[in-house]
Amino acid sequence: MSSGLIAEAAGLFAVTNLDDIVVLSLFFAQGAGEHGSARRVVTGQYLAFAVILAVAIGVAFGASFLPKEAIPYLG
């Protein structure tokens, strides 16, 4: 792996997290004053991340069964 690719991936991850912070701030603001709203937001965040991670691992595992020539067409 080249250092440019790693830097690009880190940058994209950082930008995505900035977007996530804005959305989470809106959820926290919407539930301000309600009992248990912060717990629901945090729980939802962790559950959503776990689902995304599970799907990504499943797709990566499934892609290992494809021929090497087909992988570049997946994006």
Side-chain angles (χ1 to χ4, degrees), residues 46-65:
Y46 279 106
L47 285 175
F49 185 77
V51 169
I52 290 170
L53 185 62
V55 169
I57 290 171
V59 169
F61 180 70
S64 67
F65 293 110

PDB file of all heavy atoms in Angstrom, residues 46-65:
ATOM      1  N   TYR A  46     -23.903   3.240  18.111  1.00  0.00           N
ATOM      2  CA  TYR A  46     -23.102   2.016  18.200  1.00  0.00           C
ATOM      3  C   TYR A  46     -23.738   0.860  17.424  1.00  0.00           C
ATOM      4  O   TYR A  46     -23.037   0.088  16.762  1.00  0.00           O
ATOM      5  CB  TYR A  46     -22.871   1.611  19.658  1.00  0.00           C
ATOM      6  CG  TYR A  46     -21.744   2.385  20.289  1.00  0.00           C
ATOM      7  CD1 TYR A  46     -22.006   3.389  21.218  1.00  0.00           C
ATOM      8  CD2 TYR A  46     -20.424   2.129  19.963  1.00  0.00           C
ATOM      9  CE1 TYR A  46     -20.976   4.110  21.789  1.00  0.00           C
ATOM     10  CE2 TYR A  46     -19.380   2.838  20.542  1.00  0.00           C
ATOM     11  CZ  TYR A  46     -19.671   3.827  21.448  1.00  0.00           C
ATOM     12  OH  TYR A  46     -18.648   4.531  22.020  1.00  0.00           O
ATOM     13  N   LEU A  47     -25.040   0.735  17.472  1.00  0.00           N
ATOM     14  CA  LEU A  47     -25.703  -0.335  16.715  1.00  0.00           C
ATOM     15  C   LEU A  47     -25.537  -0.129  15.209  1.00  0.00           C
ATOM     16  O   LEU A  47     -25.269  -1.081  14.467  1.00  0.00           O
ATOM     17  CB  LEU A  47     -27.184  -0.412  17.081  1.00  0.00           C
ATOM     18  CG  LEU A  47     -27.500  -1.026  18.437  1.00  0.00           C
ATOM     19  CD1 LEU A  47     -29.005  -0.923  18.722  1.00  0.00           C
ATOM     20  CD2 LEU A  47     -27.054  -2.468  18.488  1.00  0.00           C
ATOM     21  N   ALA A  48     -25.699   1.111  14.759  1.00  0.00           N
ATOM     22  CA  ALA A  48     -25.549   1.386  13.327  1.00  0.00           C
ATOM     23  C   ALA A  48     -24.125   1.109  12.865  1.00  0.00           C
ATOM     24  O   ALA A  48     -23.912   0.527  11.790  1.00  0.00           O
ATOM     25  CB  ALA A  48     -25.927   2.836  13.036  1.00  0.00           C
ATOM     26  N   PHE A  49     -23.145   1.507  13.668  1.00  0.00           N
ATOM     27  CA  PHE A  49     -21.754   1.239  13.309  1.00  0.00           C
ATOM     28  C   PHE A  49     -21.481  -0.259  13.256  1.00  0.00           C
ATOM     29  O   PHE A  49     -20.786  -0.748  12.357  1.00  0.00           O
ATOM     30  CB  PHE A  49     -20.804   1.915  14.296  1.00  0.00           C
ATOM     31  CG  PHE A  49     -19.363   1.768  13.908  1.00  0.00           C
ATOM     32  CD1 PHE A  49     -18.822   2.540  12.904  1.00  0.00           C
ATOM     33  CD2 PHE A  49     -18.560   0.836  14.534  1.00  0.00           C
ATOM     34  CE1 PHE A  49     -17.490   2.390  12.532  1.00  0.00           C
ATOM     35  CE2 PHE A  49     -17.234   0.681  14.177  1.00  0.00           C
ATOM     36  CZ  PHE A  49     -16.696   1.465  13.175  1.00  0.00           C
ATOM     37  N   ALA A  50     -22.040  -1.008  14.202  1.00  0.00           N
ATOM     38  CA  ALA A  50     -21.847  -2.460  14.212  1.00  0.00           C
ATOM     39  C   ALA A  50     -22.465  -3.110  12.975  1.00  0.00           C
ATOM     40  O   ALA A  50     -21.872  -4.025  12.387  1.00  0.00           O
ATOM     41  CB  ALA A  50     -22.450  -3.057  15.481  1.00  0.00           C
ATOM     42  N   VAL A  51     -23.626  -2.639  12.567  1.00  0.00           N
ATOM     43  CA  VAL A  51     -24.278  -3.188  11.364  1.00  0.00           C
ATOM     44  C   VAL A  51     -23.448  -2.872  10.125  1.00  0.00           C
ATOM     45  O   VAL A  51     -23.228  -3.741   9.268  1.00  0.00           O
ATOM     46  CB  VAL A  51     -25.714  -2.652  11.237  1.00  0.00           C
ATOM     47  CG1 VAL A  51     -26.298  -2.975   9.877  1.00  0.00           C
ATOM     48  CG2 VAL A  51     -26.588  -3.221  12.338  1.00  0.00           C
ATOM     49  N   ILE A  52     -22.982  -1.626  10.013  1.00  0.00           N
ATOM     50  CA  ILE A  52     -22.162  -1.252   8.857  1.00  0.00           C
ATOM     51  C   ILE A  52     -20.884  -2.088   8.822  1.00  0.00           C
ATOM     52  O   ILE A  52     -20.458  -2.559   7.763  1.00  0.00           O
ATOM     53  CB  ILE A  52     -21.840   0.254   8.897  1.00  0.00           C
ATOM     54  CG1 ILE A  52     -23.101   1.061   8.614  1.00  0.00           C
ATOM     55  CG2 ILE A  52     -20.747   0.619   7.909  1.00  0.00           C
ATOM     56  CD1 ILE A  52     -22.952   2.546   8.857  1.00  0.00           C
ATOM     57  N   LEU A  53     -20.267  -2.283   9.967  1.00  0.00           N
ATOM     58  CA  LEU A  53     -19.047  -3.087  10.039  1.00  0.00           C
ATOM     59  C   LEU A  53     -19.317  -4.532   9.643  1.00  0.00           C
ATOM     60  O   LEU A  53     -18.548  -5.140   8.890  1.00  0.00           O
ATOM     61  CB  LEU A  53     -18.461  -3.015  11.442  1.00  0.00           C
ATOM     62  CG  LEU A  53     -17.124  -3.692  11.667  1.00  0.00           C
ATOM     63  CD1 LEU A  53     -16.044  -3.048  10.807  1.00  0.00           C
ATOM     64  CD2 LEU A  53     -16.744  -3.613  13.135  1.00  0.00           C
ATOM     65  N   ALA A  54     -20.421  -5.092  10.118  1.00  0.00           N
ATOM     66  CA  ALA A  54     -20.772  -6.475   9.778  1.00  0.00           C
ATOM     67  C   ALA A  54     -21.024  -6.633   8.281  1.00  0.00           C
ATOM     68  O   ALA A  54     -20.574  -7.614   7.662  1.00  0.00           O
ATOM     69  CB  ALA A  54     -21.995  -6.920  10.574  1.00  0.00           C
ATOM     70  N   VAL A  55     -21.709  -5.675   7.689  1.00  0.00           N
ATOM     71  CA  VAL A  55     -21.971  -5.727   6.242  1.00  0.00           C
ATOM     72  C   VAL A  55     -20.659  -5.624   5.470  1.00  0.00           C
ATOM     73  O   VAL A  55     -20.442  -6.366   4.499  1.00  0.00           O
ATOM     74  CB  VAL A  55     -22.963  -4.621   5.824  1.00  0.00           C
ATOM     75  CG1 VAL A  55     -23.028  -4.483   4.324  1.00  0.00           C
ATOM     76  CG2 VAL A  55     -24.339  -4.910   6.400  1.00  0.00           C
ATOM     77  N   ALA A  56     -19.772  -4.719   5.878  1.00  0.00           N
ATOM     78  CA  ALA A  56     -18.492  -4.551   5.189  1.00  0.00           C
ATOM     79  C   ALA A  56     -17.653  -5.825   5.280  1.00  0.00           C
ATOM     80  O   ALA A  56     -17.026  -6.240   4.298  1.00  0.00           O
ATOM     81  CB  ALA A  56     -17.730  -3.374   5.778  1.00  0.00           C
ATOM     82  N   ILE A  57     -17.644  -6.450   6.447  1.00  0.00           N
ATOM     83  CA  ILE A  57     -16.888  -7.702   6.601  1.00  0.00           C
ATOM     84  C   ILE A  57     -17.503  -8.801   5.743  1.00  0.00           C
ATOM     85  O   ILE A  57     -16.795  -9.573   5.092  1.00  0.00           O
ATOM     86  CB  ILE A  57     -16.828  -8.111   8.086  1.00  0.00           C
ATOM     87  CG1 ILE A  57     -15.934  -7.141   8.853  1.00  0.00           C
ATOM     88  CG2 ILE A  57     -16.328  -9.542   8.244  1.00  0.00           C
ATOM     89  CD1 ILE A  57     -15.982  -7.312  10.354  1.00  0.00           C
ATOM     90  N   GLY A  58     -18.828  -8.858   5.709  1.00  0.00           N
ATOM     91  CA  GLY A  58     -19.502  -9.852   4.876  1.00  0.00           C
ATOM     92  C   GLY A  58     -19.218  -9.664   3.397  1.00  0.00           C
ATOM     93  O   GLY A  58     -18.959 -10.633   2.673  1.00  0.00           O
ATOM     94  N   VAL A  59     -19.239  -8.421   2.948  1.00  0.00           N
ATOM     95  CA  VAL A  59     -18.953  -8.142   1.529  1.00  0.00           C
ATOM     96  C   VAL A  59     -17.496  -8.470   1.211  1.00  0.00           C
ATOM     97  O   VAL A  59     -17.193  -9.039   0.156  1.00  0.00           O
ATOM     98  CB  VAL A  59     -19.290  -6.681   1.191  1.00  0.00           C
ATOM     99  CG1 VAL A  59     -18.756  -6.288  -0.168  1.00  0.00           C
ATOM    100  CG2 VAL A  59     -20.794  -6.468   1.252  1.00  0.00           C
ATOM    101  N   ALA A  60     -16.585  -8.110   2.102  1.00  0.00           N
ATOM    102  CA  ALA A  60     -15.172  -8.415   1.874  1.00  0.00           C
ATOM    103  C   ALA A  60     -14.950  -9.928   1.821  1.00  0.00           C
ATOM    104  O   ALA A  60     -14.178 -10.419   0.993  1.00  0.00           O
ATOM    105  CB  ALA A  60     -14.313  -7.790   2.973  1.00  0.00           C
ATOM    106  N   PHE A  61     -15.636 -10.654   2.697  1.00  0.00           N
ATOM    107  CA  PHE A  61     -15.516 -12.112   2.681  1.00  0.00           C
ATOM    108  C   PHE A  61     -16.108 -12.678   1.392  1.00  0.00           C
ATOM    109  O   PHE A  61     -15.527 -13.555   0.764  1.00  0.00           O
ATOM    110  CB  PHE A  61     -16.222 -12.715   3.893  1.00  0.00           C
ATOM    111  CG  PHE A  61     -16.156 -14.207   3.947  1.00  0.00           C
ATOM    112  CD1 PHE A  61     -14.971 -14.858   4.210  1.00  0.00           C
ATOM    113  CD2 PHE A  61     -17.297 -14.966   3.723  1.00  0.00           C
ATOM    114  CE1 PHE A  61     -14.904 -16.246   4.254  1.00  0.00           C
ATOM    115  CE2 PHE A  61     -17.246 -16.348   3.757  1.00  0.00           C
ATOM    116  CZ  PHE A  61     -16.044 -16.989   4.025  1.00  0.00           C
ATOM    117  N   GLY A  62     -17.268 -12.151   0.989  1.00  0.00           N
ATOM    118  CA  GLY A  62     -17.898 -12.619  -0.246  1.00  0.00           C
ATOM    119  C   GLY A  62     -17.072 -12.303  -1.477  1.00  0.00           C
ATOM    120  O   GLY A  62     -17.045 -13.074  -2.442  1.00  0.00           O
ATOM    121  N   ALA A  63     -16.389 -11.165  -1.449  1.00  0.00           N
ATOM    122  CA  ALA A  63     -15.562 -10.789  -2.600  1.00  0.00           C
ATOM    123  C   ALA A  63     -14.368 -11.726  -2.762  1.00  0.00           C
ATOM    124  O   ALA A  63     -13.812 -11.827  -3.857  1.00  0.00           O
ATOM    125  CB  ALA A  63     -15.080  -9.354  -2.449  1.00  0.00           C
ATOM    126  N   SER A  64     -13.992 -12.411  -1.705  1.00  0.00           N
ATOM    127  CA  SER A  64     -12.857 -13.332  -1.821  1.00  0.00           C
ATOM    128  C   SER A  64     -13.188 -14.539  -2.703  1.00  0.00           C
ATOM    129  O   SER A  64     -12.282 -15.219  -3.154  1.00  0.00           O
ATOM    130  CB  SER A  64     -12.405 -13.793  -0.432  1.00  0.00           C
ATOM    131  OG  SER A  64     -13.405 -14.589   0.159  1.00  0.00           O
ATOM    132  N   PHE A  65     -14.462 -14.773  -2.943  1.00  0.00           N
ATOM    133  CA  PHE A  65     -14.860 -15.886  -3.804  1.00  0.00           C
ATOM    134  C   PHE A  65     -14.914 -15.497  -5.278  1.00  0.00           C
ATOM    135  O   PHE A  65     -15.076 -16.353  -6.135  1.00  0.00           O
ATOM    136  CB  PHE A  65     -16.227 -16.430  -3.382  1.00  0.00           C
ATOM    137  CG  PHE A  65     -16.215 -17.083  -2.035  1.00  0.00           C
ATOM    138  CD1 PHE A  65     -16.851 -16.495  -0.957  1.00  0.00           C
ATOM    139  CD2 PHE A  65     -15.539 -18.272  -1.836  1.00  0.00           C
ATOM    140  CE1 PHE A  65     -16.837 -17.097   0.291  1.00  0.00           C
ATOM    141  CE2 PHE A  65     -15.516 -18.884  -0.592  1.00  0.00           C
ATOM    142  CZ  PHE A  65     -16.162 -18.289   0.476  1.00  0.00           C
TER     143      PHE A  65
END
